[in-house]
Amino acid sequence: MKYKILILIFLLFSCSTKTPKEPQEKILVDIDGKATISVNEFIRRAEYVPRPDYCKANTYIHKKIILNSLIAEKILAIEAESDSPLLENIEFQNYIKGHKEQAMRQYMHHVEATDKVVLDNTELTNAYKFAGREYDVAYFTITDSTVAEKAHDELVQNPQKFDEFYFQMTGEKNAPTRKVQWNSDEHIKLHQTLFSQNLTKDQVLSPIKFDENGYLFIKILGWTDTKVITEKQQRERLDQITEKLTEIKASVIWENRVSEIMRGKRMDFNKDVFNRMADILYASYFPTSEEKKDIAINQLWQQEDEQNPKSLQEMSNEAFLQEVFFTIDGNVWTVDDFRNALMFHPLVFRTNKVNPNEFPKQLRLAIADLVRDHFITQQAYKAGYDKVNIVERNVNMWKDTFFALNKKHQFLDSVQENRDFAKNYHEILNETLNPYINKLQEKYYQKVKLDFKTFEDISLSSIDLLVMHQDQPYKYVVPFFPIITNDHLIEYIDKIH
């Protein structure tokens, strides 16, 4: 009887533990059973960042150079993994953890928001009427709700006073203007307002509340409307409409999900500690022009530095580290807790330009977003999203990139290659790296297997792109393209049967 009860408990527990669904992956390359490259990873690595000049085109030779480069990166990572100094590097471990948890949250958004969107024909038909419009609008924002209410009453009835009202607020003659298209990256409420109804020229819209105390006023100056004629154009427009409406509806579903996770949680800051922290963090996140130049240079040629704030070093006073920074949901976060969170979740500010006077408000919002992500991540772990195949592939992609990069630098140091890589990469590839990679290819001869049919069917863009995440701690969707070899020969590769 005792054993039957134990078995029953085990079965009940097993049935209650759900395995999260995961997408199918098409494996393009298998390297000795130790690493793989999916079709999706190959395409993203080739198209989401600029490629070097020796493999920019969509030719078969250039495609083979891309293939060799990505395989060489994986082989270098395999060679480096057992003894890489990165294994003991806490900053690197936090960096990888940050990428993993961001990928988990993104997959959670996909499963729990995007996949739940249902569009009906009425919505698509209505959106189709307005999707070709490009609006010219004038706009301004008001942060005071009383002033916003007064402006609404006056301007909706008297749109000709729009610039006059703006002048009274700012002393500037004309309100700023901009163009807004269907695919513009605008606030959801603005997009819904502009592209869901018939509007008239010179109409002033009801103010759009875009955060807890911000109101956007819009005046329609006019628009152009691009019609689609051919069947291909019509299909492309319908695809654009479907994608945008799905994104908008998913955002609403996600906001509700996040509200559910954060319900009842209140954040209270220690004012003195917050003011001191604001002084420390401002220079790190909004550097001078010269500091920005240095950051940009470091990001070239695979010297990536994803917002690891120098301010972490300034938070080193032991007494300060133990100070209470804020409380959330009854839990205390010390300065040290916050510093540890920053190591794998850099702050994300909602605006790119912040003056010192506005910084405290923007800092509160950024910290609130970090804490929100903290609770979302907890739910993602509970759902098992850390075990999903594409999350694990994302983690391995970033990990392998840095293992390989470290191994490459170790090799160049060992042969005393001291030339500036950025200026001399063609010569260094031809004279130093290609022979090294060729030896590794001999070592892995026919241990690398390729789905040749799938590979030959892949078509790549020759246009330089740099695809980045919006409003995420880690901006780059994929690592920079590996500059390891410009060799196009693939005789060492066997077929996936």
Side-chain angles (χ1 to χ4, degrees):
M1 186 67 181
K2 177 181 177 183
Y3 294 117
K4 288 182 179 179
I5 292 172
L6 288 174
I7 291 170
L8 180 60
I9 291 171
F10 175 77
L11 289 173
L12 287 172
F13 179 77
S14 300
C15 292
S16 66
T17 304
K18 294 182 179 179
T19 301
K21 69 174 184 177
E22 56 184 17
Q24 293 278 333
E25 283 195 301
K26 178 74 171 175
I27 300 302
L28 182 68
V29 179
D30 184 289
I31 304 168
D32 198 24
K34 297 176 181 177
T36 61
I37 301 171
S38 69
V39 173
N40 185 47
E41 182 179 355
F42 178 86
I43 293 171
R44 295 199 311 157
R45 292 298 302 279
E47 292 197 334
Y48 284 18
V49 290
R51 301 195 296 271
D53 53 1
Y54 54 80
C55 60
K56 271 186 183 294
N58 183 28
T59 66
Y60 193 60
I61 286 179
H62 279 207
K63 201 161 68 167
K64 288 196 294 181
I65 294 173
I66 296 167
L67 177 68
N68 266 343
S69 299
L70 295 176
I71 291 173
E73 182 181 73
K74 295 292 186 185
I75 290 175
L76 283 174
I78 292 170
E79 293 286 304
E81 191 166 6
S82 62
D83 62 353
S84 174
L86 293 176
L87 290 168
E88 305 299 325
N89 187 305
I90 188 63
E91 289 184 0
F92 176 72
Q93 300 302 325
N94 282 324
Y95 180 81
I96 295 302
K97 177 184 178 183
H99 272 287
K100 179 180 79 172
E101 293 186 347
Q102 178 169 297
M104 289 164 58
R105 292 189 296 271
Q106 289 170 330
Y107 188 71
M108 181 176 173
H109 181 285
H110 176 77
V111 172
E112 301 189 19
T114 305
D115 274 0
K116 293 185 176 180
V117 171
V118 177
L119 300 177
D120 60 48
N121 289 332
T122 303
E123 289 176 291
L124 294 171
T125 301
N126 187 60
Y128 200 91
K129 298 176 187 175
F130 308 107
R133 290 189 178 187
E134 179 181 70
Y135 285 99
D136 288 305
V137 302
Y139 66 95
F140 60 78
T141 59
I142 295 176
T143 57
D144 187 307
S145 59
T146 303
V147 176
E149 185 177 345
K150 177 184 176 184
H152 169 254
D153 294 341
E154 184 170 348
L155 296 181
V156 170
Q157 297 299 321
N158 303 287
Q160 71 278 6
K161 294 185 177 181
F162 192 84
D163 284 328
E164 179 184 331
F165 196 94
Y166 179 72
F167 177 78
Q168 292 173 358
M169 288 196 311
T170 66
E172 297 179 11
K173 187 174 181 182
N174 296 313
T177 62
R178 65 177 299 164
K179 296 181 182 295
V180 183
Q181 299 175 313
W182 174 268
N183 285 327
S184 298
D185 187 19
E186 306 292 347
H187 194 283
I188 291 172
K189 292 180 181 177
L190 172 60
H191 188 278
Q192 290 175 316
T193 300
L194 291 177
F195 295 99
S196 64
Q197 59 185 314
N198 277 314
L199 302 173
T200 59
K201 185 179 178 181
D202 295 326
Q203 179 180 351
V204 174
L205 308 180
S206 294
I208 300 168
K209 186 175 182 180
F210 57 89
D211 65 25
E212 57 189 19
N213 56 4
Y215 300 84
L216 177 67
F217 282 77
I218 294 283
K219 180 179 181 180
I220 305 298
L221 303 179
W223 66 83
T224 58
D225 197 347
T226 303
K227 303 297 183 183
V228 288
I229 307 299
T230 67
E231 183 179 342
K232 179 183 177 184
Q233 290 173 332
Q234 293 170 354
R235 194 165 54 247
E236 287 175 348
R237 175 159 292 179
L238 187 58
D239 287 344
Q240 291 175 347
I241 291 169
T242 302
E243 182 179 347
K244 190 69 177 182
L245 288 181
T246 300
E247 176 189 332
I248 290 171
K249 283 201 157 189
S251 295
V252 174
I253 295 170
W254 183 246
E255 284 180 10
N256 291 334
R257 177 70 175 104
V258 172
S259 295
E260 175 189 316
I261 292 170
M262 299 302 293
R263 185 174 294 121
K265 294 178 173 61
R266 171 188 169 94
M267 179 182 288
D268 294 297
F269 285 98
N270 180 330
K271 184 177 179 182
D272 292 337
V273 173
F274 177 86
N275 291 337
R276 184 174 173 186
M277 192 68 73
D279 291 338
I280 293 172
L281 292 173
Y282 182 72
S284 287
Y285 282 94
F286 295 94
T288 64
S289 296
E290 195 60 34
E291 288 169 332
K292 286 181 180 178
K293 180 180 176 183
D294 291 340
I295 292 169
I297 290 171
N298 287 336
Q299 289 176 350
L300 291 173
W301 304 105
Q302 305 177 49
Q303 300 177 60
E304 187 173 8
D305 178 18
E306 290 248 21
Q307 293 183 332
N308 193 5
K310 294 179 290 184
S311 53
L312 293 179
Q313 300 170 9
E314 298 180 44
M315 300 181 207
S316 57
N317 181 283
E318 190 61 36
F320 184 50
L321 289 175
Q322 301 312 313
E323 292 273 3
V324 173
F325 187 23
F326 57 84
T327 58
I328 176 75
D329 197 29
N331 295 315
V332 170
W333 280 51
T334 64
V335 172
D336 194 35
D337 294 329
F338 176 66
R339 183 180 71 159
N340 290 334
L342 282 185
M343 289 179 181
F344 55 86
H345 189 300
L347 291 177
V348 179
F349 289 89
R350 300 184 186 184
T351 179
N352 293 325
K353 294 181 180 179
V354 178
N355 65 46
N357 293 332
E358 296 173 335
F359 183 69
K361 175 186 174 183
Q362 294 301 323
L363 178 59
R364 286 189 188 90
L365 293 173
I367 294 172
D369 289 345
L370 181 152
V371 172
R372 175 206 62 202
D373 284 354
H374 166 78
F375 286 104
I376 292 172
T377 302
Q378 286 183 344
Q379 294 300 313
Y381 274 116
K382 287 179 182 178
Y385 295 141
D386 55 318
K387 303 296 193 301
V388 171
N389 55 357
I390 60 172
V391 171
E392 291 184 333
R393 180 166 299 283
N394 185 277
V395 171
N396 290 331
M397 176 181 67
W398 285 98
K399 189 189 299 181
D400 291 344
T401 292
F402 282 93
F403 276 137
L405 190 57
N406 186 259
K407 189 71 173 178
K408 182 180 86 169
H409 289 322
Q410 284 181 338
F411 170 73
L412 293 176
D413 289 342
S414 72
V415 296
Q416 298 182 331
E417 176 56 78
N418 298 318
R419 286 175 288 183
D420 185 325
F421 194 88
K423 294 179 180 178
N424 302 282
Y425 67 96
H426 285 106
E427 293 82 1
I428 294 173
L429 284 170
N430 292 326
E431 298 166 16
T432 309
L433 283 172
N434 280 347
Y436 174 54
I437 297 301
N438 288 342
K439 287 183 179 179
L440 289 175
Q441 289 171 345
E442 291 173 10
K443 178 178 177 179
Y444 284 80
Y445 180 72
Q446 291 193 331
K447 293 180 180 178
V448 180
K449 301 186 185 303
L450 172 70
D451 184 335
F452 274 86
K453 172 67 169 63
T454 299
F455 176 67
E456 288 170 357
D457 289 343
I458 293 173
S459 180
L460 297 173
S461 170
S462 57
I463 301 171
D464 278 345
L465 291 174
L466 182 58
V467 181
M468 302 180 78
H469 294 299
Q470 296 290 328
D471 305 323
Q472 295 290 332
Y474 297 92
K475 303 297 183 188
Y476 298 102
V477 174
V478 297
F480 290 118
F481 189 84
I483 303 176
I484 302 173
T485 179
N486 57 14
D487 184 8
H488 71 277
L489 299 176
I490 58 173
E491 285 84 356
Y492 65 99
I493 296 176
D494 196 8
K495 289 184 179 180
I496 289 180
H497 299 293

